[in-house]
Structures are given as C-alpha cells and as structure tokens.
Amino acid sequence: MAGRNVWGLKRLFLQMSCRRRNFEAFFRRCASTSSQVQENCKASLLKKLNAKIPEESDNVCIYRVPTKLRQVEAKAYDPSIVSIGPYHRGDQHLKEMEEVKLKFFQRVFKSRQEGEDELDRVISAMEKLEPRARSCYADDVKLKRDEFIEMMTIDGCFILQLLREVGGCSSSSLLQRWMLPTLRRDLIKLENQLPMIVLHKLLKLVYANSQCEYSILSLQDLALKFFNPLLQRNSHTNAAGAIVMNGACHFLDLFRSSIFSEIQDQDRKRQPHMIRSVTVLKEAGVVLEKSPNDRAFDVQSEGRFLKILPLHIDDHVGTLFRNMVVFEQCHKKCKPDATAYLFFFDGLVNSADDVEILHYKGIVHHSLGSNEEAANLVNKLCREVDWDGEESYLHKVVCEDIDVYFMSARTKLRGRLVHYYFSNWTVGISTVAGLFALYLTLIQTGCSVADALEYMQEESFWSYLSLSFFLPFSRPFMPLDQKNLNEE
C-alpha cells in the first residue's frame, strides 16, 4: 500500500515537472517571438525613415481630380473624345480620335519642304524640355522618355493646328460640326492638359516663318479666341491682365486668369457665410440689377442695389466651373476666386423661383429646359467642395454691405411682413381682404357705439351697465323707440 502511494507521488511529480518545462518553453517562444517582431518592425521603420521620398516639384500644375469630387460628376473631368497628356492616354473610348490627331500632325510637317528637318529640331527641343514638362504633372507618369516626347509632339501639334484652323487661318475638313464644342470642353479639363511651355516651344519652332495672318497672334490670343464661346463672350481680351495670363501654366489656368484678371487687385478678407437667397433679398427690399460693366464675375453693391453681371448657364459652364474649382483646390499658387463666386451664386439660388427672378432681371440665362434644372445644376457645383471663406473678393458685398443692410430693424420688419403676408399675389389678396374686413368691422362697431351713446343720454352709465349684466336673466330687450310708443 505504501509502495503504491510512493509510486503515485513520483508520477505526480513527473507530471508537474513536464508541465513546468512546457510552460518555460512556451514563455521562451513568446519572448523570442516578441523580440523578433520588435526587430522586424524596427527594421521596417528604419527603412521607411531613410527612404528617399520625392518632393513635389514647384512646377506641378496638372493634378488628378480628388475622388470625392469625381464621384459627384465624373463626366465633367474625364475627356469625352480626345486625350491630351499622359493621364488618359490609351483609354479605349478615346482611340478613335487618335487618327484625327495624326492627321493634324501630318498637316503641320508634310505641307513644308523642310518638314523632316523641322521634325528633327522639334524632337531635339522636346528632348531637352522633357524633364521640366514631366515635373508639371502631380502623379508619377509611367511613360518612357521616348513615349513622353512622342506624346508631347503629337498632342502639341494637334492643339496648335486646331487653334489656327478654328481661328480662321485655314478651313478644317477633319472635324465634324458636333466635335468642336466637345473639343472645347475636353481641352479645358484639368486632367487633359499639356504644359504651356511645350506649346510655346512648338509654336516658336513650327510656325515662326508662317505667312498666315494668324501666325502673328500669340498662343494666348489663339487660345482665348478658341475658348471664349464657353462663356459666350467676345474675343476681346483685356490688356490689363496680360502679365497675369502670360504666367499661366496651361489652358485652364490661362482661361481662368483671363476671367478673373480684372479683380486680382481687389481686397480679400474672410467671408464666414454665403449670401442670402434671391427670395430673401427681394423680401427685404434688396434690388437686383444687371451689371452695366463687362467685368466677368464682378459683383457690386450700392446701398440696397446689388448689381450682377449676366451669366449663361449650360453644361459647358458646369464643366468649366468644376475644373476651375478643382484647380484652385489643388494649386496653392492661385486664389480661390472661382470658388468664391460659385458659393456666392449657390447662396443666391435655392429654388426654381430664384432662377425665375434672376432670369426676369436679365441676370441668368440658361438652356437646360426648366428653371428647376438650372437651380439643381448651380447647387450641385459646390457639392463636396471644401471652402473656408478665406481670401474672398466678395466679402465686402456679402459681409459689409448686404449684411449691414439686413441688420436694420426696418429691413427685418419689412422682410417679415413680406414673407408672411405678401409672399405672393394670393397671400397678398387675402391680407388686403382681411384688412378691409377689419376696417368694415371697425365702422360697424363705431355705429353701434353711437347708438348706445344715444340711449345712454337718458339713462346713467351704471344703469346701462347693470342692465347689460342682467340681460340674460331678464325679458327680451325692447328697443327704445318701441318703448316710447307703448308708453304713449
């Protein structure tokens, strides 16, 4: 019996020893694993810490559209028929236009006796310009050097020849009528740009000795003449903004600078909120007028008069504004003037009624079928756009003029009266009818009081008061005239 107990104790001791060794081995493995994780993590972080991350070049001016903005209206940023630059190069739905681009490219060189020699000079110039042109794109361009040079040459020659032919130097048989408006929209989109330095170099090399009258026009003049129909404005360009526009980095920047060049020197301050809607402004007595000057997107206020330059709203304008806003959101060197104007107009237009009022005043013209569609387009332009109101050139109109006018007690009273009692003609008629009924009631009350005073001349006031109090408990009241007849 004792031997059996001894054997059981030995067995228990062996089991406990085995478990202790297993626990020690487990803890050693855990310690080893933890140490290995730390070493691997440290090695990875040191590698990333010492890695050379390419810094953004100062030349960057062509960006990819942020995803949140693209989700609102993708077709406003993606080219429809032609690809310019590397971002959309090779897209399946744009391949049909590649043949047309080659035909324009051939027109540039095949019509010249020294076409091959000129092509050599162009290739050599593009090779020297390639690093700088590549640095203009925010995203890493995957094209090889020879592919990038070929792209710059073909796309640049296509653009220049297109501008000259549309400008009137020669007639183009390569484009159908529907293509030209679509090309304007494609060539103004941010992701579909070629650096202006490339176009300037090609224009200097290829068209320097051209006998065409349009060869004397600068690239700036040709481009603005081509894009001006987007805003339905004439081809006249203001010389005051020539210096600003000469520093443009691509077509979108050039056209945007031509629009806002005349307001570059305006004072800019923080604008914490948007302007009130047209309906609210009208209720408060603000008079909306069409601006007599031709300064694009300039807004002026004089007292309670708000003067706005007419705006033509269509799909072209929507595409133009969206791309200008994205460029201002991405490019730190340009001021958010288009963004400020869009938020101003978005505040004005809250409904189809606001569009109708602006259309009646001659401020808004649209070709979208209905006022509701125009209102929806305007309100959709600012969706997902982040703007803190800094550097707004409209802060004086919104904050210092219109807001000050709204703060007066007279304006607030007028706004409430118009909003609740004269918002439309049916409510106004009801209000007038109610006032007229109240007027008649007052007349009737006055007549009744006059009759009562005649009775009170014979009876004292307290007698009349007691008679009125006990009237429900007494016999029917007999008129004064009938009482006199009965007494007689």
Side-chain angles (χ1 to χ4, degrees), residues 229-279:
L230 289 174
L231 287 178
Q232 299 187 19
R233 64 177 184 172
N234 55 35
S235 58
H236 173 71
T237 58
N238 194 341
I243 298 178
V244 177
M245 291 183 283
N246 284 335
C249 47
H250 46 69
F251 281 159
L252 178 61
D253 188 22
L254 172 69
F255 196 60
R256 177 193 163 278
S257 299
S258 71
I259 296 172
F260 296 102
S261 61
E262 296 182 345
I263 61 175
Q264 291 295 322
D265 297 331
Q266 287 193 9
D267 185 27
R268 288 170 168 78
K269 293 182 181 179
R270 178 173 173 78
Q271 179 188 323
H273 55 80
M274 294 188 295
I275 197 169
R276 296 166 175 84
S277 68
V278 170
T279 302

Side-chain angles (χ1 to χ4, degrees), residues 432-445:
V432 173
L435 293 174
F436 185 68
L438 179 60
Y439 173 71
L440 295 178
T441 303
L442 292 175
I443 293 177
Q444 184 179 7
T445 303

Side-chain angles (χ1 to χ4, degrees), residues 48-62:
K48 293 179 179 179
L49 182 63
N50 297 324
K52 293 183 178 180
I53 301 176
E55 296 182 358
E56 184 175 296
S57 172
D58 293 335
N59 298 327
V60 172
C61 58
I62 304 174

Side-chain angles (χ1 to χ4, degrees), residues 352-367:
D353 294 335
D354 295 332
V355 176
E356 183 177 358
I357 295 174
L358 291 174
H359 178 72
Y360 177 77
K361 295 291 186 178
I363 298 174
V364 166
H365 307 279
H366 69 85
S367 56

Side-chain angles (χ1 to χ4, degrees), residues 217-231:
L217 294 176
S218 65
L219 177 60
Q220 169 184 307
D221 296 329
L222 288 172
L224 293 180
K225 184 179 179 66
F226 179 77
F227 289 112
N228 275 332
L230 289 174
L231 287 178

Side-chain angles (χ1 to χ4, degrees), residues 324-376:
M324 285 195 300
V325 169
V326 172
F327 180 60
E328 291 178 353
Q329 294 281 304
C330 297
H331 199 58
K332 300 178 181 178
K333 297 180 181 180
C334 64
K335 297 176 181 178
D337 293 334
T339 307
Y341 183 80
L342 274 189
F343 272 88
F344 171 81
F345 225 87
D346 184 36
L348 284 178
V349 177
N350 281 349
S351 64
D353 294 335
D354 295 332
V355 176
E356 183 177 358
I357 295 174
L358 291 174
H359 178 72
Y360 177 77
K361 295 291 186 178
I363 298 174
V364 166
H365 307 279
H366 69 85
S367 56
L368 298 176
S370 67
N371 292 332
E372 185 175 358
E373 291 185 18
N376 290 335

